[in-house]
Amino acid sequence: MIKFFLMVNKQGQTRLSRYYEHVEINKRTMLEAEVIKNCLSRSKDECSFIEYKDFKLVYRQYAALFIVVGIDQTENEMAVYELIHNFVEVLDKYFSRVVSETLNLL
Amino acid sequence: GVVPISNLIRTIRTARTQAEEREMIQKECAAIRSSFREEDNTYRCRNVAKLLYMHMLGYPAHFGQLECLKLIASQKFTDKRIGYLGAMLLLDERQDVHLLMTNCIKNDLNHSTQYVQGLALCTLGCMGSSEMCRDLAGEVEKLLKTSNSYLRKKAALCAVHVIRKVPELMEMFLPATKNLLNEKNHGVLHTSVVLLTEMCERSPDMLAHFRKLVPQLVRILKNLIMSGYSPEHDVSGISDPFLQVRILRLLRILGRNDDDSSEAMNDILAQVATNTETSKNVGNAILYETVLTIMDIKSESGLRVLAINILGRFLLNNDKNIRYVALTSLLKTVQTDHNAVQRHRSTIVDCLKDLDVSIKRRAMELSFALVNGNNVRGMMKELLYFLDSCEPEFKADCASGIFLAAEKYAPSKRWHIDTIMRVLTTAGSYVRDDAVPNLIQLITNSVEMHAYTVQRLYKAILGDYSQQPLVQVASWCIGEYGDLLVSGQCEEEEPIQVTEDEVLDILESVLISNMSASVTRGYALTAIMKLSTRFTCTVNRIKKVVSIYGSSIDVELQQRAVEYNALFKKYDHMRPALLERMPVMEKVTTNGPAEIVQTNGETETAVLETKPPPSGLQPANQVTETDPGYAGFLFPTGIPSITAYNKNGLKIDFTFERSNTNPSVTVITIQASNSTELDMTDFVFQAAVPKTFQLQLLSPSSSVIPAFNSGTITQVIKVLNPQKVSDSKKNC
């Protein structure tokens, strides 16, 4: 199950957030800060899946923006990784110029 | 007028600090609040949109909840759209107002415009409470049967939510599922598979019922694989990989524990496994799901081996994501398909050198699972190298794993000791506390390796005595086998030349060092004490050390030192026996930390109490059970009387008789006399016998032994030896 879907930039500013299970609003900001910290500390040699508390984070970086999806044990990490890109391509279709520039899409 | 949301976002982005942003938000919230108060219909939608954006940034927006309800009730689609979105973000069953939505949703589920119906279905399926779901389930079920695929797919997902909230309603959706899979529309297919999955996971009856869908699912999957390019569904050359993954997961649930279903899906699984393009992530995502399904159902062995080989190939892939999922999956299957996984052992071991922390951890766990009697030498080499170079967070687990594996599969005692040494010197400070007693027991029981072990341990701490577990084990060994160390008896390697003083130097350094933990100091002090019976030239030095620590601030050390001092002074005759070599220990449990039957090389000192005399009378001595001077006092009948004890004026004589009634019982009569000038008061005689014997002490004649041998205390002791054969029987 997908628990949350985030778009956070490198400075830790949330650009998009969607929670599929109730999380207190003040806990959200904490979670988003921690999640981006985890993603920023990863090197190029490390995989796109991070174990975080009782979630797994699947993340993809597009220019200065991180898209991070929190999942539980029942999900296929690689399918979710693919889903993120699918989402980006949908955004690109609808908001073409803005998205291409922001996310550095080819 | 009221600014549109795009303006707001642009403004907020100009804020340079968190405080500045907060100020902007507060200003805008105030404006929105007054606009709400004015009941402004025109801009309500715009204001709620801004509120939702601010909520997303982490600011409270509860005052907008009612406004969302008003928007939902509006006739304009643009209003409804924001209203329903707001409801999904701000409302749930925690707020009572949410129930006010129910009627609106009901109406909108029957709206003439499908997009409005869609909004209602989405919202209900997202935040609907149990009450709402109960009220509206019928509407959802109706829409599940519609031919409009846009609505049908949303109805299916809404039904999933309804079932989660009110499981009893599951039955009602059963008829509608009948021809869900006949759809061509992928959206409907996808959400239908999700609905079927939810029902099968919740109800064994449903699961049994839906097994008949396996052939149809197999067919759909086959079409997806075989069909040509479909622009609508293509993702990097694969047709609707998301649907494929869903179907594979449902097949997994249906095939689990069911031979027929498993057989029906065997071919398609093999086909997907062999034909899927592996150059991109998409293909690998499908392969991964396929492997999970193969391993979970009752597949034939050929298929299982195929799956594990796929995982093995994944391990060699450049893509770290794939390596990660491969290791995770192999870890799940290593118990059931051990031999197949063994074939990939070298690849798995290579992953120990990966740069990714999660991959390394899995590779380590998997490596330990694969160690057996045949590969233990090679595997240990790799794991010891890993222990050397890995991050600190791994070292404790790795060390424990190595100890366990070494214990199970050590090819020789020497190898075992060497391996332990290597771990202690490499990761000595990360070794868990429970490892120390285990290692001590292991060393004690490897009798022929004592000299070698103590020599190696001595050399190890000579340079560095900061790693506590290492120092503890080393101290204990030196205390036990110090005599072997100085006499240069080592056979396994070149014996070192070391003097008694040098050994004491290192132990004293441990005592003094502020790197040493209190426990470690205890080990060192006891070791020094033990050496008093093993060393010949340095006993005075040992006495001195022990007496110094009698005034240590550390209470534990102080107590030990005081007791050891007592051993030197009053009870010197008992010292050799008390500090004897430890015998081989029995293990109480075999898994995990073993409980040692005896204490860790610290012999219980006999507690010899002397009671202070009430008024100047000489205190009596209590003879206790553990007094080694009295061990083994039972002689067969016919032995003459003996003087069992004669010291400090106290004399005790034993006379022996055989019991008339029971030949196994020996009756000992003790007589205690006192040649000192003062009476001995509070005299108590105690005795101990081996376990198989039984002992009975009858009451003594008195507890005072008068001075100047003017009287005696008599006491009878009966000892039963059940194994004793009577004389008459012996001669048969």
Side-chain angles (χ1 to χ4, degrees):
Chain A
M1 188 186 153
I2 292 179
K3 303 286 187 174
F4 53 81
F5 190 106
L6 305 171
M7 282 172 88
V8 188
N9 72 7
K10 280 208 239 182
Q11 285 78 42
Q13 295 168 309
T14 303
R15 295 301 188 213
L16 177 73
S17 79
R18 184 75 159 97
Y19 289 84
Y20 296 98
E21 253 181 11
H22 180 76
V23 175
E24 289 296 336
I25 194 161
N26 53 345
K27 295 235 168 68
R28 291 184 191 196
T29 27
M30 256 170 26
L31 180 118
E32 284 151 31
E34 266 183 46
V35 161
I36 193 68
K37 204 167 66 177
N38 267 304
C39 293
L40 286 172
S41 65
R42 303 281 282 185
S43 75
K44 268 199 294 59
D45 307 303
E46 293 181 276
C47 69
S48 318
F49 315 127
I50 306 175
E51 272 131 36
Y52 173 73
K53 300 200 175 160
D54 38 333
F55 309 124
K56 209 171 271 194
L57 304 175
V58 181
Y59 72 96
R60 270 188 108 133
Q61 187 176 1
Y62 294 90
L65 202 67
F66 281 89
I67 298 184
V68 188
V69 179
I71 57 174
D72 68 8
Q73 309 302 326
T74 62
E75 288 293 339
N76 177 329
E77 301 96 318
M78 289 168 66
V80 174
Y81 186 75
E82 200 57 46
L83 179 67
I84 294 175
H85 195 69
N86 190 251
F87 174 72
V88 167
E89 287 182 326
V90 168
L91 286 180
D92 190 36
K93 256 230 163 75
Y94 279 93
F95 308 107
S96 195
R97 190 181 58 88
V98 174
V99 170
S100 296
E101 280 174 14
T102 316
L103 303 186
N104 244 352
L105 295 177
L106 284 159
Chain B
V2 178
V3 299
I5 182 172
S6 45
N7 282 23
L8 174 66
I9 296 175
R10 232 174 261 127
T11 312
I12 290 179
R13 286 216 188 180
T14 64
R16 279 157 301 160
T17 64
Q18 185 73 357
E20 219 182 306
E21 183 185 278
R22 214 175 303 131
E23 211 184 296
M24 291 173 180
I25 301 265
Q26 275 170 356
K27 198 161 139 214
E28 185 60 43
C29 275
I32 292 175
R33 276 184 137 118
S34 45
S35 191
F36 283 163
R37 269 194 295 266
E38 288 159 22
E39 294 281 354
D40 187 327
N41 287 343
T42 327
Y43 294 117
R44 181 177 286 123
C45 168
R46 186 178 280 195
N47 282 326
V48 170
K50 286 187 281 186
L51 199 57
L52 293 179
Y53 178 75
M54 294 189 286
H55 177 256
M56 196 185 75
L57 293 182
Y59 297 93
H62 44 271
F63 58 89
Q65 285 166 5
L66 270 174
E67 302 301 314
C68 292
L69 295 179
K70 290 178 196 165
L71 284 173
I72 288 171
S74 159
Q75 291 311 308
K76 282 162 63 187
F77 179 75
T78 43
D79 279 353
K80 281 190 189 287
R81 190 170 61 178
I82 296 290
Y84 275 123
L85 178 63
M88 285 192 263
L89 295 179
L90 300 180
L91 285 172
D92 58 34
E93 55 222 344
R94 283 179 196 79
Q95 288 84 34
D96 290 332
V97 293
H98 85 278
L99 282 168
L100 296 172
M101 281 172 62
T102 316
N103 213 39
C104 274
I105 293 184
K106 185 165 191 172
N107 292 335
D108 284 342
L109 283 174
N110 290 301
H111 204 275
S112 48
T113 313
Q114 65 177 4
Y115 300 111
V116 174
Q117 288 175 292
L119 283 177
L121 278 170
C122 252
T123 307
L124 180 61
C126 178
M127 51 70 69
S129 64
S130 321
E131 296 102 318
M132 283 169 75
C133 287
R134 252 184 256 271
D135 284 344
L136 302 168
E139 306 295 329
V140 177
E141 196 261 344
K142 232 169 43 193
L143 289 171
L144 194 51
K145 296 190 285 211
T146 177
S147 53
N148 180 331
S149 44
Y150 173 81
L151 290 177
R152 211 169 182 202
K153 75 183 180 210
K154 289 182 190 284
L157 278 186
C158 190
V160 171
H161 179 80
V162 169
I163 290 173
R164 282 185 185 155
K165 280 296 189 186
V166 194
E168 308 91 74
L169 292 175
M170 196 179 345
E171 286 286 334
M172 122 182 227
F173 292 103
L174 189 54
T177 62
K178 206 158 165 205
N179 45 24
L180 274 178
L181 293 183
N182 296 337
E183 272 271 3
K184 290 279 179 284
N185 180 296
H186 279 216
V188 179
L189 274 177
H190 194 130
T191 57
S192 301
V193 170
V194 173
L195 175 59
L196 291 168
T197 305
E198 184 73 26
M199 291 168 91
C200 289
E201 278 176 336
R202 286 191 172 261
S203 158
D205 290 335
M206 290 288 180
L207 176 59
H209 173 83
F210 284 126
R211 281 216 172 95
K212 62 176 192 272
L213 291 177
V214 170
Q216 198 171 8
L217 288 165
V218 167
R219 236 180 359 253
I220 296 172
L221 189 53
K222 194 162 190 158
N223 285 337
L224 285 172
I225 300 168
M226 308 296 275
S227 68
Y229 175 73
S230 159
E232 213 183 318
H233 305 125
D234 182 82
V235 178
S236 301
I238 294 189
S239 184
D240 206 340
F242 304 107
L243 178 57
Q244 290 193 35
V245 164
R246 283 284 177 192
I247 293 177
L248 284 163
R249 198 172 303 163
L250 180 55
L251 285 175
R252 180 152 82 239
I253 293 167
L254 295 172
R256 205 179 270 151
N257 294 323
D258 190 86
D259 290 317
D260 291 332
S261 301
S262 300
E263 204 191 306
M265 54 182 86
N266 195 79
D267 286 348
I268 192 67
L269 290 174
Q271 194 176 356
V272 175
T274 37
N275 291 341
T276 307
E277 184 64 49
T278 58
S279 56
K280 297 233 179 77
N281 181 70
V282 197
N284 290 320
I286 293 174
L287 267 182
Y288 175 42
E289 194 74 35
T290 311
V291 165
L292 291 176
T293 299
I294 293 173
M295 299 314 291
D296 215 7
I297 63 171
K298 301 206 140 208
S299 34
E300 46 176 64
S301 59
L303 196 57
R304 292 182 87 84
V305 171
L306 176 62
I308 292 188
N309 287 345
I310 291 174
L311 292 177
R313 272 208 313 277
F314 275 179
L315 283 181
L316 299 167
N317 198 305
N318 283 331
D319 189 326
K320 22 197 168 55
N321 291 345
I322 296 170
R323 287 206 301 276
Y324 172 88
V325 302
L327 282 171
T328 310
S329 315
L330 284 169
L331 201 50
K332 286 191 209 147
T333 67
V334 70
Q335 301 303 332
T336 44
D337 295 85
H338 190 92
N339 291 334
V341 180
Q342 277 282 0
R343 267 180 235 127
H344 301 279
R345 194 178 65 244
S346 56
T347 323
I348 291 168
V349 166
D350 280 341
C351 289
L352 287 171
K353 307 192 180 82
D354 201 294
L355 294 157
D356 183 314
V357 165
S358 312
I359 289 181
K360 269 200 270 223
R361 175 165 285 281
R362 275 167 176 65
M364 181 184 80
E365 288 167 7
L366 207 40
S367 298
F368 280 124
L370 291 175
V371 178
N372 62 27
N374 293 328
N375 60 36
V376 63
R377 281 188 198 266
M379 287 297 276
M380 277 301 151
K381 210 154 116 197
E382 297 286 348
L383 288 162
L384 283 167
Y385 180 75
F386 176 69
L387 182 65
D388 231 331
S389 52
C390 68
E391 287 82 350
E393 64 206 78
F394 288 122
K395 290 206 195 245
D397 288 334
C398 191
S400 299
I402 291 177
F403 285 147
L404 266 169
E407 205 174 309
K408 271 201 257 190
Y409 301 112
S412 75
K413 285 228 155 102
R414 160 100 191 239
W415 181 94
H416 199 168
I417 301 281
D418 282 341
T419 303
I420 290 172
M421 288 297 307
R422 182 78 185 272
V423 174
L424 286 177
T425 48
T426 312
S429 22
Y430 298 96
V431 165
R432 294 210 164 85
D433 291 336
D434 59 16
V436 172
N438 283 346
L439 295 176
I440 285 176
Q441 179 189 36
L442 182 68
I443 292 169
T444 308
N445 293 354
S446 315
V447 178
E448 66 276 20
M449 303 296 301
H450 286 167
Y452 173 70
T453 309
V454 67
Q455 177 161 300
R456 288 215 55 193
L457 283 167
Y458 173 77
K459 284 199 281 195
I461 64 169
L462 211 46
D464 167 23
Y465 41 90
S466 61
Q467 302 187 85
Q468 300 305 293
L470 171 62
V471 175
Q472 286 167 16
V473 176
S475 302
W476 189 90
C477 275
I478 293 172
E480 271 294 293
Y481 312 120
D483 49 324
L484 302 176
L485 188 57
V486 297
S487 63
Q489 286 182 26
C490 184
E491 280 175 6
E492 300 279 342
E493 66 176 18
E494 183 72 32
I496 55 172
Q497 311 292 344
V498 59
T499 65
E500 292 183 9
D501 276 304
E502 284 169 329
V503 174
L504 289 172
D505 283 342
I506 189 70
L507 286 174
E508 278 195 61
S509 305
V510 171
L511 264 178
I512 299 168
S513 167
N514 43 18
M515 288 187 288
S516 296
S518 181
V519 172
T520 311
R521 288 209 179 92
Y523 273 92
L525 186 61
T526 303
I528 291 175
M529 186 60 193
K530 284 200 230 168
L531 291 173
S532 72
T533 58
R534 291 156 174 74
F535 282 177
T536 48
C537 329
T538 47
V539 183
N540 283 330
R541 176 175 174 180
I542 293 174
K543 276 191 195 169
K544 228 189 285 186
V545 173
V546 168
S547 78
I548 290 172
Y549 280 87
S551 38
S552 165
I553 308 175
D554 184 324
V555 178
E556 176 68 35
L557 279 184
Q558 192 194 108
Q559 179 176 356
R560 282 169 198 239
V562 165
E563 289 176 9
Y564 295 158
N565 253 328
L567 262 189
F568 273 124
K569 299 217 161 80
K570 285 205 171 76
Y571 305 103
D572 202 43
H573 58 284
M574 290 165 60
R575 191 165 44 90
L578 276 173
L579 303 178
E580 243 175 21
R581 209 48 118 231
M582 291 296 279
V584 168
M585 302 180 197
E586 269 174 40
K587 235 189 178 174
V588 175
T589 57
T590 45
N591 290 323
E595 276 164 21
I596 310 278
V597 176
Q598 283 129 315
T599 54
N600 287 346
E602 289 159 47
T603 48
E604 298 290 345
T605 49
V607 177
L608 299 172
E609 289 164 359
T610 51
K611 283 197 200 156
S615 49
L617 295 171
Q618 181 171 13
N621 289 329
Q622 263 187 336
V623 176
T624 69
E625 294 168 6
T626 56
D627 193 331
Y630 294 95
F633 261 101
L634 283 2
F635 301 104
T637 344
I639 201 159
S641 310
I642 57 155
T643 300
Y645 184 89
N646 192 352
K647 208 170 179 186
N648 297 332
L650 174 65
K651 180 155 159 288
I652 301 178
D653 295 324
F654 280 31
T655 48
F656 302 90
E657 287 161 306
R658 175 71 50 80
S659 160
N660 293 332
T661 47
N662 186 346
S664 307
V665 174
T666 304
V667 180
I668 307 171
T669 309
I670 72 161
Q671 276 199 318
S673 59
N674 170 12
S675 63
T676 68
E677 293 168 351
L678 298 167
D679 291 346
M680 287 180 182
T681 58
D682 299 310
F683 179 87
V684 175
F685 183 88
Q686 291 178 341
V689 293
K691 278 193 191 130
T692 49
F693 291 65
Q694 284 173 43
L695 181 68
Q696 185 188 13
L697 280 101
L698 304 177
S699 303
S701 59
S702 165
S703 67
V704 178
I705 316 175
F708 299 114
N709 289 324
S710 55
T712 61
I713 287 179
T714 320
Q715 189 170 10
V716 171
I717 300 166
K718 290 187 184 170
V719 179
L720 168 69
N721 178 3
Q723 288 164 345
K724 182 159 173 36
V725 178
S726 70
D727 284 344
S728 51
K729 288 195 185 151
K730 254 200 270 186
N731 296 327
C732 292

